[in-house]
Amino acid sequence: MQSLNDNKTTLSVMPSGSRCVITKINGHGSFRHRIMEMGFVKGEIVTVVKNAPLRDPIEYEVMGSHISLRRSEALQIEVSDISACESGATSFSTFTEEVQKNIKEKSNIINVALVGNPNCGKTSFFNFATGLHEKVGNYSGVTVNAKIGTFNYNGYTINMIDLPGTYSITEYSPEELYVRQYICEESPDIVLNVVDSSNLERNLFLTTQLIDMNVRIVMALNMYDEFQKSGSRLDYEYLGSMLGFNIVPTVAFKGVGINEVLDSIINTYEDRANTHKHIHINYGKDIEDEITRIKKSIVLNKEVTDKYSSRYLALKLLEDDKTTLEVFKGRDNYSDIVSVSERSRKHLREVHKEEPSEVITNAKYGFIRGALKETYVPPMSSKKNLSSKIDNILTNRWLGFPILFLFLYIMFQSTFSLGAIPQGWIERGVELLATWLLSVLPSGIVSDLLINGIIEGVGSVLVFLPNILILFLFISIMEDTGYMARAAFIMDKLMHKIGLHGKSFIPLLIGFGCSVPAIMATRILENKKNRIVTMLIIPLMSCSARLPVYILLVSAFFPKNQALILLGLYLVGILLAILIALIMKKFFYKSDSEQFVMELPPYRFPSFRNLMIHIWDRVAEYLKKISSVILIASVIIWVLGYFPRTSAATDAIDSQIALLEADAANADAVQMAKIESLQLQRSLVQKENSYIGKIGKVIEPVMAPLGFDWKMSVSLVTGFAAKEIVVSSMGILYKVEDAENITSLSKALQSEVYATGPRAGQKVFSPLVAMAFMLFVLLYVPCTATIITCGKEFGRKWAWIMSGYTFALAWIVAFLVFQVGSLLGLGL
């Protein structure tokens, strides 16, 4: 868990006799008020008198009084040491200017945690406030980890933490548990509760849980422009006074209200907010009595209640929250807390005839409805809104699937047709650069490295940048408009048939872009087994890194119906994913399935700014990969293919060339053609006898049944690092050398022949071989980053399982396609 408190100095670590000044009081509301009432307020000087014989408690002098604090209490007080520099100072005003500045800087650091429902605009607020470019999407589950942005505002340093979107703070999903632990363990100074104003009742449920935690809250009432357009009205100032914190209307993606929220955060931090107060939600006499009863046992553990609100802990124990119970494990009265909690839950079940958690939830919604009844006026019109009208078409029983597949077809067709124009420009630029270098550099190892190593390797991948950007543009449009959630809705029945949740479709669709965020997005699934199955089939979704391989081979060997061939590859991955999920359901997770519960957010026109952020992020990521992993891999592959320069076979060819060139003065066209043929043959033989050729020969027997030669085999091995390197490797290994010009890679593949062996002189590639190769690239072991992410999220065992089964599946499918196709005479 990311922490901003690792380097802070707290009162608990100050040695006896030292003097310090208080810069911040952490902890929940009641704890902070109690400590401050004792004189521990920001700017006050504290002297550490002495430690008790057992080092706890500690005696301090503050405001002329001697007060003892437990070490756990002193841990919540941040200080700045002034022992060495200000021994004679008696107040803040008597410090030197330098020390005052240092103390003020430390006390003016505000840690703000952004908390809100998925799709409430929380990350848009974060991006606008911090100036960072985090991913924003109009569907649940985009933010799967905490992101921190730091900026200065009105003399304060604000650390803003964008926590995962969650509908509540329980323990039903990793996001919920993460958010709860962050708030409790890290004690942010302010919790900024971002609320979707068009879904007040549901969003405010999370707010009630924050109120129970007794944290300092500021609310950003987001998407307020849509709220007003709907004809709704809300007296948000009065609602804020009822709830005990400031509420500020915002339109985050436009930057409206951001500064007002930041001002409110500072005022709340400095205890200047007029509306700030802590309220208790009344859960009714029965619940309140049981809360009081449980609290009597809880408050005996002062180390716990210094960090957590005792009322909040009592409520969670009434809800039978296992994570909360873990907090008390090892405490002297643990068994007493367990028994008291069980008796209270039993009593409430008998009285209310339902689970205490349900009673508490109903009471929360009752509180919300009561507050809204006094402040909210719904719109007069009862007509269907625009989102409902669009849904009548896009999620229609008969039209939903055809529209989804039409969208995907347009996406892939655009990837080819629109991408071909800038792709041609980049390819031409790469060729011109290589031709220019060839003309100005003397022939030798340096020019060969630059032209046939770096430019050929890196350039062969760079030309596919436009295609990848177009693919991500379409995915971003699906996310930003809200259609991504509808796609999950449309696919739910099919997903349920294979034992998965409809929401599994979202990480699978993200997998078309990149498998790493897709695996992390499986956290939106509440059921662990669903997460595991979804994770295992994500690599079967064709990520953008595989797209260069597909485009290269489809363009070279399938000139007709290119979009359909590409769509077919994606569909093969999907169908095999369904097959794997069915096998997992039948043999491993037979009875594990969930009902579909997912928000369908309102449709929104995609923000140009967000689309540009998405595209720029992809450009930066792709160029970073090209300038690091792919560049290094290209150089390594070139070195392995360049050395050794001679062998017995190449020496024999050199002798033949020398004999022919000796009579060059009398050579005719036939003789010159023979010399050129021998030079080409020498290049091929040298590559085959190089270090990389020897590596390829070791691998080739395993891959030969699939129709792959040693160069293809080596290219696949390099693809373990990143799938784009497959194209980079092929660009180097299949380079047809020509003193006049640089031949394009696709033409080189079309003309490639076996140099030796029983198939000498035959074409290496055919449409059948190309199809088997693309299917292997589609299915075999995902890139290193994906494997590492899988290991981090699910453990090493699952990373090994993913690697093993994907390689086996790829080999079997490619073998069947090539062997059966060969028997039927296809593609020969």
Side-chain angles (χ1 to χ4, degrees), residues 15 478 658:
M478 289 183 75

Side-chain angles (χ1 to χ4, degrees), residues 176 270 454:
E176 293 176 352
E270 297 290 1
I454 295 174

Side-chain angles (χ1 to χ4, degrees), residues 470-595:
I470 291 170
L471 177 68
F472 272 100
L473 174 63
F474 275 89
I475 292 176
S476 295
I477 290 172
M478 289 183 75
E479 294 174 350
D480 287 3
T481 57
Y483 186 56
M484 182 79 84
R486 271 69 182 186
F489 174 79
I490 292 167
M491 295 296 293
D492 175 60
K493 191 167 185 179
L494 175 60
M495 302 302 288
H496 187 73
K497 292 284 186 186
I498 64 175
L500 290 176
H501 193 284
K503 283 197 286 189
S504 293
F505 185 69
I506 289 177
L508 293 177
L509 198 56
I510 293 172
F512 288 137
C514 180
S515 296
V516 173
I519 287 176
M520 296 179 71
T522 59
R523 295 182 187 178
I524 67 173
L525 302 168
E526 287 80 6
N527 185 286
K528 183 179 180 182
K529 292 178 180 178
N530 272 342
R531 291 200 297 273
I532 290 173
V533 176
T534 305
M535 171 271 297
L536 286 175
I537 62 177
I538 280 173
L540 306 184
M541 305 298 107
S542 289
C543 68
S544 62
R546 295 176 170 101
L547 193 59
V549 183
Y550 300 159
I551 293 175
L552 171 67
L553 295 177
V554 169
S555 300
F557 298 101
F558 302 94
K560 296 181 180 179
N561 300 317
Q562 293 179 336
L564 287 176
I565 295 290
L566 187 59
L567 180 57
L569 286 167
Y570 280 73
L571 289 176
V572 167
I574 293 169
L575 291 173
L576 287 172
I578 291 172
L579 178 63
I580 296 297
L582 284 170
I583 292 171
M584 296 287 287
K585 177 187 178 183
K586 184 173 180 62
F587 295 103
F588 298 99
Y589 307 134
K590 295 182 181 179
S591 60
D592 241 351
S593 66
E594 291 180 56
Q595 297 302 313

Side-chain angles (χ1 to χ4, degrees), residues 111-164:
N111 298 327
V112 180
L114 271 72
V115 177
N117 285 193
N119 194 46
C120 68
K122 180 169 52 63
T123 302
S124 291
F125 188 101
F126 176 84
N127 286 342
F128 226 106
T130 64
L132 299 181
H133 297 159
E134 293 300 337
K135 188 173 179 60
V136 180
N138 189 15
Y139 67 98
S140 170
V142 173
T143 309
V144 291
N145 212 334
K147 300 176 182 70
I148 299 174
T150 300
F151 60 98
N152 294 316
Y153 181 80
N154 284 356
Y156 289 81
T157 299
I158 298 178
N159 297 312
M160 192 163 280
I161 307 98
D162 183 17
L163 295 174

